[in-house]
Amino acid sequence: MQTGQTRIANNLNEYAEDKPESQSTQLILQEGLQSSLTYPLTINDTCVGFIFFSSDIPNIYQNADIELF
């Protein structure tokens, strides 16, 4: 939410190694998920929330998926 940018994390294990303080990533990995796409919801250039997509398949999301939303 801080950046207001869409984020694709196609290797959540690698992301967790880079950001070991991320408790949410650790919880997501415990659920068996491997990839995520986080899309910010904005109103008048202010981020008010986000939509979070996840998959148990690594490397599933691409920039084309961002264009869908």
Side-chain angles (χ1 to χ4, degrees), residues 3-42:
T3 66
Q5 300 294 313
T6 302
R7 182 185 71 187
I8 294 174
N10 271 321
N11 186 333
L12 289 172
N13 285 306
E14 185 177 281
Y15 184 84
E17 289 175 11
D18 291 342
K19 306 241 186 238
E21 71 280 1
S22 176
Q23 293 177 359
S24 59
T25 303
Q26 296 301 325
L27 292 171
I28 291 166
L29 286 169
Q30 288 176 14
E31 295 295 322
L33 301 173
Q34 298 295 313
S35 299
S36 70
L37 183 150
T38 306
Y39 188 83
L41 299 173
T42 57

